Each structure stands twice: as C-alpha cells, then as structure tokens.
Amino acid sequence: MKKTLVVLLVLALSAVAFAYDDKKDKDTNKAEDRIEASGTVLDEIESAPDTGIPEEVLASAECVAVVPSLLKGGFIVAARYGRGVASCRTPTGWSAPAFIYTSGGSVGFQIGGQAIDLVMLIMNKDGLRNLLSSKFQLGADASVAAGPVGRHAAADTDWKMRAQVLTYSRARGAFAGISLAGAVIKQDKDATREFYGRMVPFKTSLTGKVEAPKTAYPFLNVLAKWAQKAADKDKPAEAPKPADTAKPAEKQN
C-alpha cells in the first residue's frame, strides 16, 4: 500500500512537471523571458539590505546559475523541477548564457508545494568541469552545500573548502542557503536551440567561445554589476601616498 502511494505521488508530480513545462513553452517562459527573470531575481536578492550572497563568496565564484520559480511539491516524497541560465567567468568577462534544466527528488516529510527562486554558485575548477559536462548530480558528481548568507561571510566559515557548489533559495521573500543533494543539472537543449538558433554545447558557451547576443544582456549586465561590486569590496584599500616634503626649486634670476 505504501509503495503504491509513493508511485502514485511520483506519477502525479511528474504530470504536474510536464504540464508546467508545456505551459511555460506556450506562455511566458521562453528563453528570453527566462534571461530577464533570472536577472531580476539576482538583482532583487543582491539589492536586499544585509542579506543576499556574501561579497567574498560571489567574488570567488567561477560560475553563477539562476533558476527563477523552481517548482517544489510533495507529500513524503519531495520533487524539484525548474529551468534557468548559467554564466561563467572568462578572460574577457562573463560568458554567453547556458540554459539549464534541474530536476530531482529527496525523501522527506514535506507537504504542499511552493515556487522558489534558486541560485547556484560553482566555486572552483572541479565544479566548473562538472558543469561543462552538460549533466551532473549534486552530491554525487559534485559536492554541494547550503551557502552562507549576509553581506559578508564570517571569517571562521569554511565555505571555500566545503563544496564545489553553494546553493541558495528565496521563497516568500525569505532568502537562505539550501541543500540540493540529489538534484540533477543538465543542459536544456530546447531552450538553447530557441535562443541561439542552433545547438551550442555548454563547453562552447560557458568558456567564451560564442559571443553573447544582446538578448542575454538583461542577465549578464546584472551579474557583471554585482560581481564587480563584490570584487571591488574584496580589494584591500590602497595605502595613502606620502606627502611631497621636497622644497620647491628656487627661481633663477
């Protein structure tokens, strides 16, 4: 009986996911809309006073991914489903966006459903290699942890060593770190073809081998703005230059 209930619940959640996917394709969640929504989510999170992603963390991230309105739901079995965009640092700035699809589930005592905004930071080269593979599982292929929250990360935290991926969520205005162990991240091929007019592999877009179209700017401009602010705050203040004590040269007659 219990197994039957679990199977029925999983099938029901899958049906919701497919219906949600179909609605987004036919309604407002086209690739360009997802770009704009991701930029809005990141800007709102970082604009909130005394909350958001610590500047030290954002300044250290290799890549940033945003999944606006990730759908969560479940009764005993919790499911996650969402689509978003990612960009990575390159020698010339932030890369053209890659479109991602995230799905996965975890057993837990959760009842009801809600939409959340999800932010993932890929913190090192190992995490970047996993992302470039176009499909990986958090907690299995890449270590994952809930990210620290606030304007500054506490000096005694070990966020630099803990995980390849730090994850955050925002629901009903509250922003916090979240663990997404078990979630699978893979390339959204349909959105990629829609946006670029052809198939562009993760490795091509995220390493700067394709130019970002202007329609990517609503996300990339926001990302560049906050990443630059974080980098500027992370720089040590310049020491004041010593005053010039030399006497002015005497005028010659």
Side-chain angles (χ1 to χ4, degrees), residues 99-101 134 185-189 192 199-202:
F99 291 83
I100 63 174
Y101 172 98
S134 297
I185 311 298
K186 59 184 179 180
Q187 184 170 25
D188 187 340
K189 296 181 179 179
T192 301
M199 188 59 208
V200 178
F202 268 16

Side-chain angles (χ1 to χ4, degrees), residues 45-46 51-54 117 119 148-150 168-177:
I45 288 172
E46 290 300 283
T51 61
I53 301 167
D117 298 317
V119 178
V149 175
Y168 297 87
S169 69
R170 182 182 68 165
R172 298 173 184 168
F175 183 68

Side-chain angles (χ1 to χ4, degrees), residues 139-158:
D141 301 315
S143 56
V144 61
V149 175
R151 280 299 165 213
H152 296 283
D156 58 351
T157 60
D158 57 352

